[in-house]
Amino acid sequence: MWREFKQFAMRGNVVDMAVGIVIGTAFGKIVSSLVADILMPPVGFLLGRVPVASLFITLSGSQYATLAEAKAAGAVTINYGLFVQTVLDFLVIALVLFLFVRQINRFLEAKSQAAPTSPTIKECPYCLSSIAIKARRCAHCTADLGAA
């Protein structure tokens, strides 16, 4: 059983997937920092010098100056600022992944067009049937085609 598990774990797809998850997690943290520390402060500044992540509504009707105060008081809140920030995280990650996959597809398309495959069949000049490119005699009309 251990040998089978080791074989499974070392298979290329599993290792590739593990590396992708680790890199994706690290990339997600970078994007979260980009959104929270670079993009959201100017948005908060434009909204009247309010940090967007701290925007909330209390459902109890009580007023609190900050989200931390509301949470400390045990108030039920709708944290729409954090939601906006999370949506922006998602959109940035989706955009980067779209651009990455689009570039890979362009690369693969260019690679497939750059290396045309050599033909493996040709037409017999006598009966016009398809035959192997290396054939010396047509299999259909038995005509001698000369050297390959």
Side-chain angles (χ1 to χ4, degrees):
M1 185 168 106
W2 176 251
R3 190 175 332 124
E4 286 180 84
F5 175 74
K6 186 176 169 185
Q7 219 173 15
F8 169 76
M10 290 302 150
R11 198 177 311 158
N13 296 344
V14 175
V15 174
D16 291 345
M17 183 180 69
V19 169
I21 289 171
V22 170
I23 289 174
T25 302
F27 180 71
K29 289 180 182 180
I30 290 170
V31 170
S32 293
S33 176
L34 170 77
V35 170
D37 302 328
I38 306 290
L39 297 178
M40 296 311 275
V43 172
F45 181 77
L46 294 174
L47 291 175
R49 299 177 188 242
V50 177
V52 176
S54 68
L55 298 175
F56 68 99
I57 298 172
T58 56
L59 297 179
S60 63
S62 302
Q63 296 295 325
Y64 299 97
T66 65
L67 180 59
E69 285 179 18
K71 291 209 179 240
V76 178
T77 60
I78 296 177
N79 306 324
Y80 66 91
L82 290 172
F83 177 74
V84 168
Q85 188 167 329
T86 303
V87 168
L88 198 54
D89 281 352
F90 169 77
L91 291 175
V92 170
I93 289 173
L95 176 66
V96 169
L97 286 176
F98 168 74
L99 294 174
F100 182 72
V101 169
R102 184 172 157 207
Q103 193 61 36
I104 287 175
N105 288 340
R106 282 185 180 172
F107 174 72
L108 292 176
E109 184 179 299
K111 186 177 178 182
S112 68
Q113 289 177 355
T117 59
S118 48
T120 58
I121 60 170
K122 64 180 179 180
E123 274 189 357
C124 172
Y126 302 104
C127 69
L128 302 177
S129 58
S130 297
I131 54 173
I133 196 99
K134 294 183 178 181
R136 293 181 181 205
R137 187 173 293 273
C138 178
H140 303 282
C141 70
T142 68
D144 187 13
L145 302 174

